[in-house]
């Protein structure tokens, strides 16, 4: 018998139903035990990525449960000097399977070497995964998702572009508001881009939408440079 475990206050309490996060924790644990017994390296690698994403989600949801913190914009962040390459590696690993299902190519363009930014690693990866997931969702089969890094003074800009239909002009004004209908993430809760903006602002950065001349959508993530 496996008992559900709560992590950072998120989980099952006495007399309450098991939350979805606690349920997924149980499911992941069961799968891990079965795969260890079966010695399937490829499946174990996939499961390891899922476990990492689950742990990151638990940490973030723990903070989002405090609605006053979200409403006030007083999101707690723990910024450190971190490698952009490492953050991209983790984010791309999280959307790898979804991209493979559509035979997508992720093209990373960076002429500046190993760039470092000042950011909360968990929240930065969360934002990257959210934007990349939207790009994958709206990309045509065998399309290209482009990730381009540029540097400007004490700012680092990361442009994530897809080849999808783009976002209708009437929606763009309210794109980062909560529960915006018809947004780029219209298959989700309508909260993703709103939370992404709050996270970026809390880290001293920003997120913006840039319409493409012909088709597709581009989101610009701006991060602060490391402390000198």
């Amino acid at each position: 018998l496996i008992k559900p475990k709560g992590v950072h206050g998120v989980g099952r309490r006495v007399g309450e139903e098991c939350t979805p996060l606690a349920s997924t924790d149980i499911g992941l644990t069961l799968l891990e035990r079965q795969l260890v017994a079966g010695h399937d390296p490829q499946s174990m690698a996939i499961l390891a990525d899922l476990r990492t994403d689950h742990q990151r989600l638990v940490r973030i949801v723990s903070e989002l449960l405090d609605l006053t913190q979200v409403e006030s914009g007083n999101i707690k962040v723990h910024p450190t000097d971190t490698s952009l390459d490492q953050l991209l590696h983790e984010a791309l690993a999280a959307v790898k399977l979804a991209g493979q299902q559509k035979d997508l190519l992720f093209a990373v363009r960076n002429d500046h070497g190993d760039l470092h930014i000042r950011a909360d690693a968990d929240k930065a990866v969360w934002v990257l995964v959210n934007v990349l997931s939207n790009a994958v969702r709206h990309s045509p089969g065998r399309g290209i998702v482009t990730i381009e890094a540029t540097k400007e003074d004490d700012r680092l800009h990361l442009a994530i572009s897809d080849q999808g239909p783009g976002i209708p002009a009437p929606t763009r004004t309210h794109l980062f508001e909560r529960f915006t209908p018809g947004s780029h993430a219209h298959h989700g809760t309508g909260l993703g881009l709103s939370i992404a903006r709050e996270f970026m602002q809390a880290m001293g950065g920003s997120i913006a939408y840039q319409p493409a001349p012909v088709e597709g959508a581009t989101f610009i993530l701006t991060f602060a440079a490391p402390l000198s």
Side-chain angles (χ1 to χ4, degrees), residues 19-41:
T19 67
L21 283 176
S23 297
T24 54
D25 181 62
I26 296 171
L28 287 171
T29 300
L30 286 170
L31 286 173
E32 285 168 346
R33 292 183 178 181
Q34 292 174 359
L35 290 175
V36 167
H39 300 291
D40 184 348

Side-chain angles (χ1 to χ4, degrees), residues 42-114:
Q42 184 175 5
S43 296
M44 283 298 295
I46 295 171
L47 193 56
D49 289 337
L50 291 174
R51 172 62 75 181
T52 300
D53 290 338
H54 178 271
Q55 292 171 343
R56 183 180 297 116
L57 182 60
V58 168
R59 287 193 294 268
I60 291 173
V61 169
S62 296
E63 294 182 0
L64 292 180
L65 287 176
D66 184 355
L67 295 179
T68 58
Q69 182 187 135
V70 177
E71 293 294 339
S72 67
N74 187 28
I75 302 291
K76 295 178 181 178
V77 295
H78 304 284
T80 59
D81 294 351
T82 185
S83 166
L84 179 63
D85 285 349
Q86 179 60 33
L87 297 182
L88 278 174
H89 176 77
E90 293 183 30
L92 287 170
V95 300
K96 179 180 178 181
L97 289 179
Q100 287 178 341
Q101 291 176 356
K102 301 182 76 170
D103 199 18
L104 298 181
L105 172 66
F106 293 97
V108 180
R109 300 173 182 171
N110 176 15
D111 298 329
H112 304 280
D114 186 15

Side-chain angles (χ1 to χ4, degrees), residues 127-140:
V127 173
L128 287 168
V129 170
N130 182 270
V131 176
L132 285 169
S133 295
N134 286 339
V136 169
R137 183 180 300 117
H138 294 276
S139 290

Side-chain angles (χ1 to χ4, degrees), residues 198-209:
E198 292 179 8
F199 282 176
M200 291 300 296
Q201 290 177 345
M203 292 187 290
S206 64
I207 179 172
Y209 171 72

